[in-house]
Amino acid sequence: MSIDPLVSLLVGALGAATLGLVGGAIGAWVQSRREHRRWLREQKMHAYTAVLDLVQRISLESSPVREGLNEEVTDLYRATATVELLGPDTLAGHTRMLRDAVGALVYHQHADAFPSPDLFLEDSDLTSVAEADSADFMTNLLRVKSLREIVIKDARKELDIRGSSR
């Protein structure tokens, strides 16, 4: 029994078309996953750098009295929330600790400008409100700098950034 050449040609064409469609679908899926990972990494990078920039502006460049401090602290809370959504639990926890340490530092520097320390010290296991009131400025500043380095290290690890560490 011989196979009709037309049937053979049609079966071959159908098989090639099916393989082409399956291959295209798999390629599109792989590309979609790759693009999503790239987008997520960019979002994480933006969130982590936003926190670090705000910490730098608020705590390390803060003058005793200046405009916009309340907005910067609010922005730090928002940026921390973004890290909590995107980052791993360890990084999110260290970022919250950093945020609270910055809050203690700002409250210590500007206690007369804020009605309640609860604005800054939500869930910190670093310091109590009483300790924040009496803590030495340099101790708070060193805590902020130390936690900032920890967050940088965590972010570099999460983003798989290799190279020299500070």
Side-chain angles (χ1 to χ4, degrees), residues 3-14:
I3 297 178
D4 185 6
L6 181 61
V7 172
S8 176
L9 182 64
L10 288 175
V11 168
L14 183 60

Side-chain angles (χ1 to χ4, degrees), residues 104-157:
L105 182 67
V106 169
Y107 182 74
H108 185 306
Q109 279 185 293
H110 310 281
D112 57 333
F114 301 105
S116 168
D118 295 336
L119 292 174
F120 301 110
L121 302 173
E122 275 183 5
D123 57 358
S124 175
D125 45 341
L126 289 176
T127 182
S128 69
V129 172
E131 290 169 337
D133 286 342
S134 63
D136 178 56
F137 172 77
M138 287 308 294
T139 302
N140 284 335
L141 185 59
L142 290 173
R143 181 179 293 129
V144 167
K145 287 182 177 184
S146 173
L147 285 166
R148 184 177 178 275
E149 291 302 315
I150 290 169
V151 168
I152 288 171
K153 180 182 171 191
D154 287 351
R156 289 173 62 90
K157 181 179 177 185

Side-chain angles (χ1 to χ4, degrees), residues 83-99:
V83 170
E84 289 172 333
L85 287 172
L86 297 174
D89 291 341
T90 302
L91 180 57
H94 288 148
T95 303
R96 279 191 303 273
M97 291 169 63
L98 177 59
R99 176 204 63 200

Side-chain angles (χ1 to χ4, degrees), residues 17-36:
T18 302
L19 285 176
L21 286 174
V22 169
I26 290 172
W29 179 78
V30 167
Q31 183 64 23
S32 170
R33 297 291 304 156
R34 187 176 298 140
E35 288 296 320
H36 177 72

Side-chain angles (χ1 to χ4, degrees), residues 25-95:
I26 290 172
W29 179 78
V30 167
Q31 183 64 23
S32 170
R33 297 291 304 156
R34 187 176 298 140
E35 288 296 320
H36 177 72
R37 280 193 305 271
R38 183 177 296 128
W39 174 84
L40 187 58
R41 186 176 191 277
E42 288 172 7
Q43 296 304 307
K44 288 177 179 182
M45 175 73 90
H46 178 72
Y48 303 158
T49 56
V51 167
L52 294 170
D53 289 345
L54 286 163
V55 166
Q56 181 75 21
R57 257 188 292 163
I58 294 168
S59 63
L60 305 179
E61 299 173 1
S62 184
S63 62
V65 176
R66 67 189 179 106
E67 294 282 325
L69 183 61
N70 285 340
E71 291 81 15
E72 288 176 348
V73 170
T74 300
D75 290 343
L76 179 59
Y77 271 76
R78 284 188 190 121
T80 301
T82 304
V83 170
E84 289 172 333
L85 287 172
L86 297 174
D89 291 341
T90 302
L91 180 57
H94 288 148
T95 303

